[in-house]
Amino acid sequence: MKTLSFATTAYLKRVASAYGYFDEAAREYVVTRPDTPLPWLNYLGQDELFGLCTNTGGGYTFWRDARLRRLTRYPYNGSPYDPGGRYLFIRDGTAVWNPGWKPTKASLDRYECRHGLGYTRITGARGGVEVELLLFVPPGENAELWKTTVRNLGDAAKELTLFSYVEFCLYEALNDMTNFQRTYSIGEVEVEGTGIYHTTEYRERRDHYTLFGCTREIAGFDTSRDVFVGVHNGLHEAAVPLAGAARSSIAHGWNPIGSHQLDLQLGPGEEETFAFVLGYVEQRDGKFERPGVVNKERGRALLERYGREGAVDAAFDSLRSFWLELLSGFQVDCTEPSVRRMVNTWNQYQCLTTFNLSRSASFFETGIGRGIGFRDANQDILGFVHLIPDRARGRILDLASTQLSDGSCFHQYQPLTNQGNTEIGRDFYDDHLWLILSTCAYVKETADTSILDEPVRYADAPDGEETLLHHLETSVAYTLGHLGEHGLPLIGHADWNDCLNLNCFSTDPDESFQTAGDVAGSRAESVMIAGLFLYACRELAGLYRHLERPGDGERLDRLHADMLAVVEEHAWDGDWYLRAYDAAGAPVGSRTCEEGRIFIESQGWCVLGGAGRGNGRARRALESVHEHLLTEHGIVLHQPAYTRYYPELGEISSYPPGYKENAGVFCHNNAWIALGWCLLREGERALECHLAICPSTREDRIETYRGEPYVYAQMIAGPDAATPGEAKNTWLTGTAAWAFVTISQGVLGIRPTYAGLSIDPCIPRAWRSYRVSRRFRGVLYEISVENPDGVCSGVRSLKVDGQEVEGDLVPAPSGKERVQVEVVLG
Ligand code: GLC
Ligand code: GLC
């Protein structure tokens, strides 16, 4: 690896890893060298226009749907990784360099990338010239701004040429990366002033275009990649920057790009600031100014808006305020830096990202394969609902409308159409139950019970509408109507673990594991769904009591009791809960199995659902997890790993040992164990499990971990893998929501309930105090928790605005915006 001149020892002292550090006050992760172990990603955008942005400016931009409205191009899985993005080429004399290092990788005297909340600021300097590039999407705007500042740090005048660069995607990303016989003939652009208008297919059925413009005067432009880069060149040796002059190329087909040439003269110490604007514009009527010429009125207005003095800075200020206000609803001050960093900034930020993007577009998700997943989105709401409850409400109703009238669900839907699809199969027999969890979380957060009466259609009965509450009941009924021979819920194609496909025997490499089998005749049962069902019954019983329908509450209690009896009778294996019964009736996750003897999911969900209380099994199950599954990288999914392919278990054993669902650390489910420990009042264990997967604890092992140290990963390779400790699938994972639930509600103990905010910490004994501010139903609660006796749980006294209160429930204040809460444990 090339040593960069800025990586001096003095500099490294300040940084927590060789690649960067957390700037807690600024709420930024600061990357201090560009050649990170993998590209480290951030997201731009919070409403409809989104960008993926790595620490070297790589990534792409899309509007709402990464597949159908992709604005710029990003070839996945090539070499090098992260091969396309927002690039500025600086030509100084004959040298050509990029402030973000890529694509030329010319050495820099200084490099810094600050990933912040909805923005990335990249600064690079070379030969006495510093270029700062601030990338963000203003709230409410369908445009990405690139605020650019060029500084002459030296004492002689400089003449510089700057070239901007984006490569357009022809909107439908899958087509764009596969159907070249068509796409190489359809590309079109128009250029007017600084505005490069990407208008492919606008003449026919599209009523939108992409605009790439500049707020400063330009000296030239290019729109043909073949001209700007050269047919036989890589981006690192792009022809136009090397030659030093734009060629005013107009793309006809092939690969349209947008590039501006700017000529800059800067005296010693002088700087100049301007912005590039990458916008998405819809033009449904009046599409043309005159025959064959695109109506650019909105595009011109967009460029003009950000060309005004101060407009870009004002937009950035509004972005900063948006985020600070949003995150101010949950802030913690405690001694554990990883808890502060993640809770105050990164975990909440990741929760908003998973809510917005589900599993669609990341460094690992290409934005073409997966829409919004039913179970994923319901779980994402658990970590998001406190941020923007109204949007959670809308999402819950959208999700419910993709449920079918028998209670089953479309496993995913596309956000542009809200239509469910079966592209990755159906009959995942856990899906419908998650709707109960998200709905109850929403009502607890907001006290808005009106959502339960909202009319929502079933996807197969578009004319009739039932209430949301009806949907929740249908969900319960579906599980009850699909029980197996032990009385446990049937698993269908899979439960939460998509790869445990107990009814889908596949020996054909050309078919999908999830759809290979015959679910109708399948018998396999899931203990994990049983645990989830127990939990859902309790949630719903609580909701009914809140609605003052005790009869329904008792009905749900009985369902809980019945399933509990089945679980205790048929799912206990001696030291832990079984995972499942396979299609032949054989236990999965049992001490009698050759491999895969103990699984994590059923321990988590049985305990959370209330199994094993009063008979010692809950504790025994979690102790078994501790003993057999906890590793230095987190808790692995099962042990021993499967070393050969078991067709009767499905995709799980298709992964090499230690990766993904085959005994990798699947971070998402680690949170269920941490929450289980909270139920058992074991604060040390809970925090240990929570931190075991926490990315910010990985800075000292970052060469092994490789992923971003500021966002949770879906998976960390387990000890059975060839590369233990290596993270994959960062950013878009249910881990974000569950980690937030664990730390905020479980450990810190700040828990929304129907009756109000309850404070019931479960912390390590060594924690002597902490503070939390928590906005709840419009009131900011400033909570201080003291732990003079070094206990782990138990509220000894609770004062609300100086008044002693019984129990751990903070009464709802009348007419106050701020409330002081003092808690003493003991
Ligand atoms: C992926 C899926 C999620 C599933 C998990 C375990 O994260 O998005 O739905 O539960 O894998 O298989
Ligand atoms: C799980 C895996 C995911 C896979 C899916 C279907 O969600 O984590 O990688 O695509 O199952 O096989």
Side-chain angles (χ1 to χ4, degrees):
M1 195 179 295
K2 195 157 82 184
T3 321
L4 296 159
S5 51
F6 52 78
T8 61
T9 333
Y11 195 74
L12 282 178
K13 271 197 194 133
R14 260 187 46 220
V15 307
S17 84
Y19 297 91
Y21 61 96
F22 285 88
D23 184 339
E24 274 186 64
R27 295 164 190 276
E28 291 172 335
Y29 192 82
V30 187
V31 187
T32 51
R33 50 190 290 176
D35 55 343
T36 42
L38 280 173
W40 283 354
L41 191 69
N42 191 18
Y43 287 88
L44 315 175
Q46 41 285 317
D47 307 301
E48 297 193 311
L49 188 94
F50 293 97
L52 282 69
C53 184
T54 67
N55 60 300
T56 54
Y60 58 99
T61 305
F62 62 92
W63 182 79
R64 288 190 61 187
D65 186 316
R67 172 163 172 180
L68 298 177
R69 293 287 184 283
R70 194 172 301 193
L71 308 186
T72 55
R73 196 178 265 172
Y74 192 67
Y76 274 89
N77 85 359
S79 176
Y81 287 116
D82 192 27
R86 306 152 184 88
Y87 296 133
L88 298 181
F89 294 84
I90 313 298
R91 188 179 157 98
D92 180 5
T94 54
V96 175
W97 57 278
N98 306 98
W101 190 53
K102 278 184 180 172
T104 58
K105 299 202 284 179
S107 69
L108 297 171
D109 301 330
R110 182 171 120 77
Y111 159 91
E112 184 186 84
C113 165
R114 291 182 168 259
H115 279 323
L117 298 163
Y119 67 90
T120 289
R121 190 193 297 269
I122 296 174
T123 311
R126 183 184 158 110
V129 175
E130 183 177 86
V131 180
E132 184 180 318
L133 179 61
L134 171 64
L135 302 157
F136 68 102
V137 177
E141 189 72 271
N142 281 326
E144 190 178 289
L145 303 186
W146 307 9
K147 181 186 172 191
T148 308
T149 303
V150 184
R151 302 187 177 102
N152 179 357
L153 305 176
D155 43 22
K158 278 274 185 193
E159 294 211 351
L160 306 165
T161 319
L162 180 153
F163 300 91
S164 64
Y165 184 80
V166 294
E167 181 168 343
F168 294 115
C169 177
L170 311 190
Y171 300 111
E172 209 283 88
L174 182 60
N175 201 50
D176 182 71
M177 58 180 94
T178 50
N179 192 11
F180 307 118
Q181 63 79 24
R182 172 172 164 83
T183 57
Y184 278 1
S185 290
I186 61 175
E188 289 186 282
V189 295
E190 281 188 29
V191 180
E192 179 196 85
T194 75
I196 296 170
Y197 293 79
H198 173 226
T199 58
T200 300
E201 290 181 340
Y202 183 85
R203 256 181 327 96
E204 30 115 350
R205 293 163 300 165
R206 291 195 182 277
D207 45 25
H208 44 259
Y209 58 76
T210 310
L211 161 66
F212 187 43
C214 181
T215 62
R216 181 195 185 277
E217 174 196 344
I218 61 171
F221 67 86
D222 276 291
T223 69
S224 157
R225 192 182 80 183
D226 290 355
V227 171
F228 182 86
V229 182
V231 171
H232 297 289
N233 296 12
L235 266 180
H236 62 288
E237 52 192 4
V240 162
L242 285 178
R247 303 226 335 244
S248 309
S249 57
I250 295 288
H252 301 284
W254 300 106
N255 299 292
I257 59 146
S259 173
H260 305 94
Q261 176 181 338
L262 278 66
D263 292 340
L264 304 168
Q265 284 89 33
L266 293 174
E270 249 176 40
E271 67 173 46
E272 199 185 323
T273 297
F274 43 89
F276 296 94
V277 180
L278 179 69
Y280 170 81
V281 178
E282 289 199 339
Q283 185 73 50
R284 285 184 204 282
D285 37 5
K287 282 177 62 173
F288 297 94
E289 253 159 37
R290 47 178 202 281
V293 178
V294 170
N295 178 351
K296 306 185 189 65
E297 208 176 312
R298 294 193 181 133
R300 279 183 215 118
L302 177 67
L303 289 182
E304 204 188 292
R305 192 149 69 243
Y306 290 106
R308 286 189 209 126
E309 183 75 28
V312 172
D313 289 338
F316 186 62
D317 289 346
S318 87
L319 178 81
R320 286 296 277 167
S321 324
F322 165 80
W323 276 107
L324 293 181
E325 169 64 18
L326 201 56
L327 300 195
S328 69
F330 202 113
Q331 291 292 300
V332 59
D333 188 10
C334 66
T335 49
E336 173 55 58
S338 281
V339 170
R340 286 197 312 265
R341 291 164 181 169
M342 297 311 290
V343 169
N344 293 344
T345 304
W346 291 98
N347 192 357
Q348 293 195 74
Y349 181 47
Q350 190 178 0
C351 285
L352 187 111
T353 309
T354 57
F355 177 85
N356 279 332
L357 300 181
S358 194
R359 305 295 172 268
S360 66
S362 73
F363 188 67
F364 301 87
E365 304 275 12
T366 58
I368 56 171
R370 304 225 263 175
I372 295 197
F374 193 90
R375 82 156 82 85
D376 292 340
N378 276 298
Q379 292 173 80
D380 292 344
I381 285 168
L382 306 178
F384 170 82
V385 63
H386 72 291
L387 288 169
I388 314 180
D390 259 6
R391 291 189 61 200
R393 188 183 204 274
R395 176 66 56 79
I396 290 168
L397 297 173
D398 281 353
L399 285 163
S401 72
T402 64
Q403 184 172 37
L404 293 127
S405 52
D406 67 355
S408 67
C409 302
F410 279 111
H411 195 51
Q412 65 167 21
Y413 71 93
Q414 285 306 126
L416 268 189
T417 58
N418 271 2
Q419 295 296 314
N421 65 59
T422 50
E423 265 172 39
I424 54 172
R426 48 176 298 184
D427 295 311
F428 296 84
Y429 285 175
D430 64 315
D431 269 344
H432 50 283
L433 293 172
W434 300 105
L435 186 64
I436 297 174
L437 274 63
S438 62
T439 303
C440 291
Y442 170 81
V443 178
K444 287 179 197 168
E445 181 69 35
T446 59
D448 167 22
T449 50
S450 76
I451 191 175
L452 301 167
D453 304 323
E454 283 286 344
V456 194
R457 68 182 173 91
Y458 285 99
D460 55 344
D463 301 330
E465 278 173 340
E466 295 285 357
T467 63
L468 178 63
L469 191 57
H470 190 274
H471 282 253
L472 304 188
E473 281 290 350
T474 314
S475 296
V476 171
Y478 191 76
T479 297
L480 291 175
H482 293 77
L483 300 177
E485 65 200 63
H486 298 91
L488 294 162
L490 293 174
I491 197 169
H493 281 151
D495 59 24
W496 172 86
N497 188 332
D498 277 333
C499 297
L500 193 62
N501 314 118
L502 302 180
N503 301 303
C504 316
F505 310 121
S506 177
T507 50
D508 175 355
D510 300 332
E511 70 192 358
S512 143
F513 289 97
Q514 282 74 28
T515 55
D518 168 19
V519 167
S522 61
R523 299 165 55 204
E525 294 164 277
S526 162
V527 177
M528 185 261 158
I529 300 181
L532 180 61
F533 181 79
L534 290 175
Y535 189 89
C537 285
R538 281 204 165 166
E539 286 288 280
L540 210 46
L543 181 65
Y544 277 126
R545 295 214 161 81
H546 175 61
L547 298 175
E548 297 180 359
R549 288 171 59 173
D552 286 309
E554 277 160 31
R555 175 171 55 84
L556 268 301
D557 286 347
R558 281 196 299 278
L559 294 179
H560 182 274
D562 292 349
M563 184 61 76
L564 186 62
V566 173
V567 165
E568 300 292 15
E569 188 180 343
H570 294 292
W572 182 250
D573 192 55
D575 278 315
W576 54 77
Y577 289 99
L578 295 174
R579 179 62 177 84
Y581 285 101
D582 71 15
V588 178
S590 159
R591 61 187 189 284
T592 60
C593 298
E594 190 190 326
E595 299 185 311
R597 282 183 213 120
I598 168 172
F599 277 69
I600 188 170
E601 303 99 318
S602 43
Q603 318 318 321
W605 278 106
C606 288
V607 172
L608 294 180
R613 306 306 292 274
N615 60 12
R617 287 179 178 178
R619 181 168 293 273
R620 187 69 224 122
L622 295 190
E623 289 291 358
S624 296
V625 169
H626 200 76
E627 211 172 297
H628 301 288
L629 302 181
L630 181 65
T631 75
E632 60 175 309
H633 307 297
I635 307 170
V636 294
L637 197 143
H638 62 88
Q639 277 295 290
Y642 295 112
T643 54
R644 64 175 178 84
Y645 178 50
Y646 297 75
E648 71 279 19
L649 300 181
E651 185 169 354
I652 189 166
S653 58
S654 76
Y655 282 111
Y659 293 102
K660 295 278 282 183
E661 281 88 340
N662 188 8
V665 175
F666 216 93
C667 298
H668 185 145
N669 54 34
N670 279 229
W672 304 333
I673 301 300
L675 280 167
W677 284 121
C678 289
L679 275 183
L680 301 188
R681 311 324 244 152
E682 294 289 353
E684 279 82 13
R685 286 281 171 87
L687 193 70
E688 179 184 14
C689 293
H690 178 71
L691 292 180
I693 54 156
C694 178
S696 94
T697 65
R698 292 308 197 279
E699 287 196 292
D700 58 348
R701 284 166 278 169
I702 203 71
E703 300 274 6
T704 306
Y705 186 76
R706 299 182 79 197
E708 296 90 340
Y710 45 87
V711 282
Y712 287 94
Q714 180 209 57
M715 195 271 300
I716 304 170
D720 297 297
T723 57
E726 182 187 58
K728 288 199 186 114
N729 299 6
T730 54
W731 271 106
L732 300 183
T733 160
T735 314
W738 280 105
F740 189 73
V741 171
T742 302
I743 191 71
S744 63
Q745 301 190 28
V747 177
L748 301 173
I750 318 292
R751 198 173 308 143
T753 72
Y754 298 113
L757 200 60
S758 130
I759 302 182
D760 183 20
C762 179
I763 55 173
R765 288 169 181 81
W767 278 23
R768 286 307 156 106
S769 68
Y770 63 93
R771 281 164 202 286
V772 172
S773 27
R774 177 25 157 134
R775 195 177 307 111
F776 179 65
R777 302 183 189 170
V779 179
L780 192 69
Y781 293 86
E782 291 172 335
I783 305 159
S784 80
V785 179
E786 298 294 330
N787 184 19
D789 301 338
V791 298
C792 133
S793 66
V795 170
R796 184 164 78 201
S797 80
L798 175 67
K799 279 190 193 159
V800 178
D801 279 339
Q803 300 280 0
E804 195 88 36
V805 169
E806 279 289 309
D808 58 27
L809 193 69
V810 183
S814 54
K816 284 192 184 157
E817 281 176 10
R818 267 167 199 264
V819 171
Q820 305 294 323
V821 181
E822 294 157 79
V823 181
V824 181
L825 303 182

